[in-house]
Amino acid sequence: MFGRGPARAAILLIGEQPGDREDVEGLPFVGPAGRVLDEALAAAGLSRGEVFLTNAVKHFKFEPRGKKRIHQKPNAAELEACRPWLFAELGAVRPRVIVSLGASAERSVAKIPAEAAGAAVRIATIHPSAALRAPERAQRHRLRARLARDLRRARRASEK
């Protein structure tokens, strides 16, 4: 699945890979993590329509368990195999800010050559799903606040 958003978005957000809902609907960040992301975007003074949303890995890697499809973390080879598509998206959008959402996205972004990223500011933050999976309510709240804070930094950087 390829990304969605304005062709010349100032901010490009990179997640890990599509989840189950994203795979079914063919759109990035439409599941539970997408709702967390939408809340953080709103808290940062942004909307989904202003940013380009994509993933480092373009397919949903999962393990079937009964009727459910359980997310499996992509490996280095899968990140590498999908990197040309990510480069192409970066080249087409030419964002001023690249935000990596989570460790897998950051690993992929770290290997993007400077010429592919242009002069974009790079910001690493948590994946919205981390705020969903945190065991304690206070921790979930802190993670959501961190995500919103990092997206505010991205908004400010994009305005320069």
Side-chain angles (χ1 to χ4, degrees):
M1 162 191 334
F2 294 98
R4 297 283 193 279
R8 294 290 181 198
I11 301 172
L12 185 138
L13 304 176
I14 303 172
E16 178 184 77
Q17 69 177 335
D20 184 61
R21 290 294 342 135
E22 289 81 6
D23 187 50
V24 170
E25 294 186 34
L27 297 168
F29 290 96
V30 293
R35 288 189 294 280
V36 171
L37 179 61
D38 287 340
E39 291 169 9
L41 286 167
L46 294 165
S47 71
R48 182 180 284 255
E50 295 176 80
V51 300
F52 192 90
L53 298 168
T54 193
N55 287 293
V57 174
K58 304 303 182 186
H59 64 280
F60 177 42
K61 181 178 179 181
F62 64 93
E63 175 184 303
R65 286 198 195 144
K67 293 183 179 184
K68 290 188 176 190
R69 301 186 309 164
I70 307 301
H71 167 274
Q72 298 294 300
K73 186 176 181 176
N75 60 38
E78 291 161 329
L79 287 168
E80 184 64 35
C82 293
R83 199 164 287 120
W85 289 300
L86 183 57
F87 287 178
E89 288 175 320
L90 286 167
V93 177
R94 312 268 322 142
R96 288 193 291 275
V97 181
I98 299 170
V99 179
S100 54
L101 302 169
S104 292
E106 179 57 23
R107 280 198 328 266
S108 192
V109 168
K111 293 195 176 190
I112 295 172
E115 61 273 13
V121 172
R122 297 181 191 194
I123 296 174
T125 190
I126 65 160
H127 192 283
S129 64
L132 291 172
R133 294 189 184 114
E136 298 174 8
R137 184 175 183 213
Q139 186 181 16
R140 289 190 299 271
H141 179 73
R142 280 192 303 275
L143 290 170
R144 286 174 187 245
R146 176 181 169 190
L147 178 59
R149 180 197 69 217
D150 291 340
L151 291 174
R152 276 192 294 278
R153 280 183 42 223
R155 188 198 75 224
R156 287 192 301 269
S158 75
E159 294 169 346
K160 292 181 180 178

